[in-house]
Amino acid sequence: MKSDKEKNTTINSLPGLEVLNKHFEDYLNRLKQNLTTEGLSQLILKEFMEVSNFLITIGDQEYDKVRTGKNFDFSTIYSLHYLLPELFKDTMLIHRDVLLQLQISQNKKQESLVDDQAVQHHLKESKAILEKASQSFGQKISTELNPIQQADKKRRKLVSKVKHQQNPWEIYKNQFLTIQNQTKEIEKSAHILSDIILVFKDIKNHTQNICATLISELENSKQSISKVMDSVQNLDEIVKTADTISLIEDILDDLDSTNPGQETYAFDIELKIASLKENSIPVAGEDGLLLIKKIDFNKSAKKWLNYMLLPDMIELWQNKVNLVAFYKHSLLNLKSSLTLLKNNSTLETLPSQVQSIQNMLRSANANEKLQRKIIGQMQEKFSTEFFVTNIYNTEDFLKVSLQSSITQLTSSKNKFLTSAERKIHNILSFFSTKYEISTTDNPFKKLEAASKCIEYRTFKASNIHYDTLFLNKNFIGDLFLVPRETEKQKLQETLNLWKKGHNKAVLVVGNNLSGKSTFIESVAKDHFDKQSIVLETDSTISIEGRKFTTTKNLTEALQHIKKHTYNSRPLLVIDNLELWRDKNHSLLDNVKAAIEFVETESDQVFVIMTTSNAMQSHLDKRLPFSNSFSSIIDVNRAKNEEINKAILLRHGASHQSLVTEKGLPLLNKQLELYVQKLCKNYDYNMGEVLQAWTYAITTADDHKVVFQEKEYDFEDFFTSEEVIILKYVLLYKHINEIVLKNFLGNRYNISYKSGLKRLTNTKVFLRNPEGNLILNQVLYHNIREILKYRGALN
């Protein structure tokens, strides 16, 4: 047992702790002052970080004494290296998390999502948590400086016990430095997000100014029409018709069909978001970890604007073009009528001219109502979705998955830290509750909207003869084949080289319904006549009179072809490469066999394979897939004129008259505009546009088909598990319960079974004759866009 003299020596050997205690008291005094949110943030970033630096400094000094074995007291070592670091680390984590929440508060205030009162309440709560955590640590330092504590038998026993344990200081020091770096990252991200918020606001203001201009022009046009109305109603003498005609001519000169900003909108937006780039943003602290989101704000903002906003903008501009065209047509007719009245010196038909102007005003009012409705929808999207701070919510408009934590802190948490962190999460609701309530999506409404969309697009028996012309994949005569001239030219060049003895193989890629099969069928007919082999799973092929039944083993089928094609130079078609797989033969093995065949036999056999763009990208990550082909032909996008021609050919074959809802013939210009809109909506995918055309068609009894432009939005109601299943089916064409269960094991029943059932019940999935689940053909475009939006597809 130590003497009293030895005890006093121990007590007086803690100058580092005394100075640390003084530093911490000074920090606590500053913390208790009246601070703004910015002031509290700076206090954490400067004063508290200085305290942590001082603790690291004195900890290093004592650790150096331990390593050299000179002039150290283990009671001090116990305090600085074993006892205090764990609590101080917890205190640092609380400061880091509060700093992050202060940043969120400021960013939401900048986006006008919270008011000053809410921010002040948040500041008060934040300070209270920091004071409680800091006081707890300060009390621990004071306890260590207390002579009674130093002399306590239990403490001396603990000190003695840890003497033989490995000193943990280096581990704690690294953790302190990591938390300091995290704090710097939070500070850095605050400035980054502030600049991004300004860009988002600029985009909102720019778009809203265009909308305001459209409404203003509409109001001016209505006023002009009203002037014409007044002028016509006041016509009581023939001589006055000249003034009215002059007024009409002035209005016609002023009417301009050019939409404000339409030609430059995309370019303007591109310039505004050019400064945005990929950033790693701290978004939350959880059990000691700092959760990071890696977000490409440029790409994500573009995706949101293209997917959510641009369709509405296009509709606004198109509505204005249609209205201006109507104005011009009506005013020219009115001018002609008034000229006729003037020449005939009579006002007998004047009431009919008044009726004509009234029709114009009714159209203007209807258009204004529609335009305001669309603008209101856009404003709603802006006010609930287009916010930078949505990255902090569970439902992120940027749809970027949580990727990693910046560090892995392995030590367990004490009860104080756990309760304090829980309180941090609880108090956040003070400034976000109102906003979160306003933006919470009702999953049932989304599901209901999606169901309406599917029902609207579903094949209708009454339209069977007309729709068959557009939808039947096998109904392809020469008259219905629209040549893809650019793609045909590229293939012809490759084929010419192959005929000269070069090894050549072609990969044709495109999304579903883009026309891959149609393209290669035309190639086979034009260039190979009967010398072509179409290799499909579970079918029979005949080569040189020898029949062969295929399975899902592509290696075996290719070996057979290699063995029996020595006397000919045929075309080999492998359509839908992704279908070559089963439990015994993986797609990867079959693709390797295909690549090997191309490398060795493509001088003797002209090989064409087809697959989707998504599968091409998927395979390229696993092996040099695309590089194995001499030519890659992408048929994903057709030209506008090619699609327009395809629709006209098919409609012409129906021998039906195309009319509007009112029974009036649909003008060619109106038809062209609608086709152009469909092309933009479906990314110029030939089959998607042909299919979408049928949605708007209803067959009438008198050899007419009624065109009714109407569309239901398909809402994203999918869970994360359902997204995974959808991606699989989009890549591999089909799935079934057995495959999914074998692949997932116990997770199938826990997480995926109900999702698969829901996708089936809602008709997102349909069951084919083989019993496999396939994606509903009318949803391919929507599902693909949703998966891209959710970050599941490149």
Side-chain angles (χ1 to χ4, degrees):
M1 183 176 288
K2 292 185 179 181
S3 64
D4 290 341
K5 183 177 180 180
E6 288 173 325
K7 292 178 185 177
N8 290 331
T9 302
T10 302
I11 294 170
N12 293 330
S13 65
L14 298 174
L17 277 181
E18 292 173 354
V19 180
L20 177 64
N21 188 49
K22 180 65 169 64
H23 274 271
F24 217 82
E25 286 178 351
D26 291 342
Y27 168 71
L28 262 173
N29 290 333
R30 291 189 180 95
L31 183 60
K32 293 176 181 177
Q33 293 175 0
N34 189 20
L35 297 169
T36 62
T37 299
E38 177 63 25
L40 182 57
S41 298
Q42 290 303 312
L43 187 69
I44 296 171
L45 289 166
K46 294 180 180 178
E47 277 78 0
F48 183 74
M49 287 301 109
E50 287 179 4
V51 172
S52 65
N53 286 331
F54 182 76
L55 178 61
I56 292 172
T57 299
I58 61 175
D60 280 343
Q61 291 173 353
E62 296 301 324
Y63 189 64
D64 289 339
K65 293 178 183 179
V66 173
R67 286 190 300 176
T68 58
K70 296 179 181 179
N71 195 28
F72 73 89
D73 176 73
F74 204 82
S75 182
T76 305
I77 301 302
Y78 175 73
S79 297
L80 286 173
H81 293 172
Y82 292 85
L83 190 63
L84 293 177
E86 182 65 23
L87 181 58
F88 188 70
K89 180 184 70 178
D90 292 343
T91 308
M92 287 187 75
L93 289 172
I94 291 174
H95 278 74
R96 180 203 68 189
D97 290 348
V98 167
L99 178 66
L100 178 59
Q101 299 307 329
L102 291 171
Q103 174 193 310
I104 295 172
S105 172
Q106 288 295 90
N107 288 337
K108 289 201 171 189
K109 181 183 177 184
Q110 188 180 358
E111 291 195 298
S112 303
L113 294 173
V114 294
D115 55 27
D116 290 335
Q117 183 179 358
V119 172
Q120 286 302 313
H121 180 64
H122 178 255
L123 174 63
K124 179 182 177 182
E125 294 289 342
S126 299
K127 278 188 64 181
I129 286 178
L130 292 182
E131 287 178 20
K132 183 178 179 182
S134 300
Q135 286 169 356
S136 177
F137 182 71
Q139 289 169 3
K140 195 64 179 176
I141 298 176
S142 300
T143 301
E144 287 300 291
L145 290 169
N146 191 329
I148 298 176
Q149 167 72 1
Q150 293 289 319
D152 184 73
K153 182 185 292 186
K154 182 178 179 181
R155 184 183 188 281
R156 292 202 308 272
K157 185 176 180 180
L158 289 172
V159 171
S160 176
K161 183 178 180 180
V162 300
K163 279 185 178 182
H164 306 291
Q165 296 177 4
Q166 183 178 356
N167 192 307
W169 173 249
E170 285 293 321
I171 295 173
Y172 280 123
K173 176 184 174 182
N174 288 334
Q175 292 177 353
F176 295 159
L177 294 174
T178 297
I179 297 171
Q180 285 184 341
N181 289 332
Q182 292 173 351
T183 304
K184 293 175 183 176
E185 285 297 315
I186 293 172
E187 180 186 21
K188 179 182 176 183
S189 70
H191 300 299
I192 293 172
L193 290 177
S194 179
D195 292 339
I196 294 173
I197 288 170
L198 293 177
V199 173
F200 275 46
K201 282 188 173 182
D202 190 24
I203 292 171
K204 287 182 187 178
N205 292 335
H206 180 68
T207 304
Q208 288 165 349
N209 287 339
I210 290 177
C211 293
T213 301
L214 283 169
I215 294 298
S216 176
E217 290 186 348
L218 181 58
E219 291 288 346
N220 291 338
S221 298
K222 285 173 60 181
Q223 290 176 8
S224 298
I225 301 301
S226 296
K227 289 180 182 178
V228 174
M229 167 76 82
D230 293 339
S231 180
V232 171
Q233 287 179 331
N234 292 327
L235 277 176
D236 52 7
E237 299 177 11
I238 292 296
V239 69
K240 292 183 179 179
T241 56
D243 295 333
T244 305
I245 292 172
S246 177
L247 176 61
I248 292 172
E249 289 174 344
D250 291 340
I251 295 172
L252 285 170
D253 290 338
D254 291 337
L255 283 176
D256 184 6
S257 61
T258 302
N259 288 312
Q262 181 175 2
E263 294 80 4
T264 61
Y265 182 75
F267 179 72
D268 292 340
I269 295 298
E270 186 76 27
L271 287 178
K272 292 179 187 300
I273 64 177
S275 61
L276 303 182
K277 56 184 180 180
E278 187 176 83
N279 298 105
S280 294
I281 306 296
V283 294
E286 186 174 304
D287 294 332
L289 304 177
L290 184 65
L291 304 181
I292 303 293
K293 280 186 179 179
K294 193 174 184 181
I295 304 169
D296 188 333
F297 284 97
N298 185 293
K299 183 178 180 181
S300 299
K302 280 181 186 176
K303 190 179 292 185
W304 188 92
L305 291 166
N306 288 337
Y307 188 76
M308 300 298 292
L309 188 72
L310 199 55
D312 289 335
M313 292 296 296
I314 291 173
E315 187 172 359
L316 284 173
W317 288 320
Q318 193 60 55
N319 288 341
K320 193 218 169 183
V321 168
N322 293 340
L323 186 64
V324 169
F326 174 71
Y327 280 164
K328 285 186 174 181
H329 177 75
S330 300
L331 289 171
L332 286 170
N333 286 341
L334 179 61
K335 177 185 173 184
S336 300
S337 299
L338 291 174
T339 302
L340 187 63
L341 292 176
K342 178 183 176 184
N343 294 336
N344 293 336
S345 300
T346 179
L347 297 176
E348 288 182 4
T349 61
L350 202 59
S352 63
Q353 313 312 323
V354 173
Q355 182 63 44
S356 172
I357 302 172
Q358 288 174 341
N359 291 338
M360 291 173 63
L361 282 174
R362 277 196 293 270
S363 296
N365 289 329
N367 185 277
E368 180 182 10
K369 185 177 179 181
L370 178 60
Q371 296 289 74
R372 289 188 184 278
K373 180 182 177 182
I374 296 170
I375 291 171
Q377 292 171 347
M378 291 169 57
Q379 188 62 43
E380 178 68 16
K381 292 175 185 177
F382 268 138
S383 63
T384 58
E385 300 177 33
F386 197 64
F387 290 109
V388 178
T389 50
N390 278 6
I391 62 174
Y392 299 118
N393 296 338
T394 53
E395 293 293 333
D396 304 313
F397 87 92
L398 294 173
K399 305 296 180 187
V400 180
S401 59
L402 195 63
Q403 296 190 358
S404 64
S405 61
I406 202 171
T407 184
Q408 295 290 329
L409 299 177
T410 58
S411 62
S412 61
K413 320 292 299 163
N414 63 34
K415 291 182 180 179
F416 168 73
L417 176 63
T418 303
S419 62
E421 285 189 329
R422 188 180 298 115
K423 188 174 182 183
I424 288 174
H425 289 293
N426 289 340
I427 67 167
L428 293 181
S429 61
F430 74 91
F431 70 90
S432 60
T433 299
K434 182 177 179 181
Y435 172 70
E436 288 171 356
I437 288 174
S438 69
T439 60
T440 297
D441 290 315
N442 187 326
F444 298 105
K445 286 187 177 180
K446 285 189 171 185
L447 185 58
E448 183 180 352
S451 298
K452 286 182 179 179
C453 177
I454 295 172
E455 179 61 25
Y456 171 70
R457 297 178 182 181
T458 298
F459 190 87
K460 298 173 182 63
S462 61
N463 287 6
I464 184 169
H465 297 296
Y466 188 90
D467 288 0
T468 298
L469 294 171
F470 288 79
L471 304 179
N472 192 334
K473 181 178 177 182
N474 299 317
F475 192 73
I476 303 173
D478 290 341
L479 293 176
F480 288 84
L481 191 64
V482 178
R484 310 282 285 269
E485 296 298 339
T486 303
E487 291 80 6
K488 282 184 65 177
Q489 178 63 31
K490 187 173 183 180
L491 187 133
Q492 183 67 60
E493 292 170 359
T494 305
L495 186 59
N496 291 340
L497 291 173
W498 177 77
K499 290 179 178 178
K500 294 177 181 179
H502 296 270
N503 287 59
K504 292 294 174 182
V506 176
L507 177 65
V508 180
V509 296
N511 294 326
N512 190 63
L513 300 177
S514 59
K516 301 188 294 296
S517 299
T518 304
F519 179 76
I520 59 175
E521 284 173 22
S522 69
V523 170
K525 183 178 179 181
D526 292 344
H527 300 288
F528 289 89
D529 196 19
K530 296 181 180 180
Q531 277 195 320
S532 58
I533 304 166
V534 179
L535 198 55
E536 298 176 336
T537 62
D538 304 315
S539 64
T540 301
I541 59 174
S542 180
I543 306 172
E544 300 292 335
R546 296 177 177 86
K547 290 187 177 181
F548 177 78
T549 301
T550 64
T551 61
K552 298 291 196 306
N553 187 342
L554 186 56
T555 305
E556 185 181 62
L558 291 174
Q559 286 295 329
H560 181 82
I561 293 170
K562 179 179 179 181
K563 185 177 180 180
H564 298 290
T565 54
Y566 49 83
N567 289 327
S568 61
R569 300 188 76 208
L571 165 71
L572 172 61
V573 173
I574 304 176
D575 197 9
N576 294 317
L577 182 61
E578 54 270 22
L579 295 178
W580 287 86
R581 73 187 196 282
D582 63 14
K583 63 179 181 180
N584 297 318
H585 308 94
S586 70
L587 176 64
L588 195 61
D589 288 339
N590 281 332
V591 171
K592 288 179 180 177
I595 290 174
E596 184 180 350
F597 185 88
V598 166
E599 292 172 347
T600 59
E601 304 300 317
S602 57
D603 59 336
Q604 184 70 24
V605 180
F606 189 74
V607 183
I608 298 182
M609 297 185 201
T610 76
T611 191
S612 66
N613 300 84
M615 180 55 76
Q616 178 195 15
S617 177
H618 179 68
L619 290 173
D620 282 343
K621 293 175 182 176
R622 302 295 302 274
L623 64 165
F625 175 66
S626 296
N627 294 336
S628 303
F629 297 88
S630 52
S631 296
I632 298 177
I633 298 176
D634 192 337
V635 298
N636 206 38
R637 291 172 65 91
K639 296 177 181 177
N640 189 81
E641 52 268 29
E642 292 173 346
I643 296 175
N644 196 58
K645 182 179 179 181
I647 289 177
L648 291 175
L649 283 172
R650 285 157 176 77
H651 172 70
S654 71
H655 303 293
Q656 304 270 13
S657 300
L658 190 62
V659 299
T660 66
E661 294 176 72
K662 297 180 179 180
L664 301 175
L666 190 69
L667 302 176
N668 288 338
K669 186 62 177 177
Q670 293 174 290
L671 189 147
E672 288 175 8
L673 289 172
Y674 182 67
V675 173
Q676 185 178 7
K677 182 179 178 181
L678 285 178
C679 289
K680 291 179 180 178
N681 289 347
Y682 291 90
D683 296 331
Y684 293 86
N685 182 309
M686 174 83 78
E688 295 273 17
V689 174
L690 291 176
Q691 179 176 262
W693 171 266
T694 65
Y695 302 157
I697 297 296
T698 303
T699 303
D701 295 329
D702 49 353
H703 300 290
K704 293 180 180 179
V705 287
V706 180
F707 177 85
Q708 183 179 9
E709 185 178 353
K710 185 178 179 182
E711 182 58 88
Y712 291 96
D713 291 329
F714 183 83
E715 294 283 354
D716 176 7
F717 64 89
F718 304 118
T719 65
S720 57
E721 290 82 5
E722 289 167 354
V723 166
I724 293 171
I725 299 173
L726 287 168
K727 180 180 179 181
Y728 182 95
V729 176
L730 197 73
L731 283 173
Y732 295 96
K733 298 285 190 181
H734 62 74
I735 200 171
N736 59 53
E737 290 83 349
I738 296 174
V739 169
L740 194 59
K741 191 170 184 178
N742 290 339
F743 182 72
L744 295 169
N746 292 333
R747 285 195 297 159
Y748 172 77
N749 288 322
I750 297 171
S751 304
Y752 290 83
K753 184 178 180 180
S754 61
L756 189 62
K757 189 71 175 175
R758 190 166 79 135
L759 292 172
T760 307
N761 290 340
T762 54
K763 296 185 180 181
V764 173
F765 283 165
L766 303 176
R767 203 173 291 276
N768 66 10
E770 290 78 34
N772 292 317
L773 294 171
I774 60 173
L775 194 59
N776 193 332
Q777 185 166 279
V778 302
L779 299 178
Y780 264 99
H781 177 79
N782 299 99
I783 298 300
R784 190 165 51 247
E785 290 301 307
I786 287 169
L787 292 181
K788 288 180 181 178
Y789 195 62
R790 298 276 287 264
L793 284 179
N794 294 329

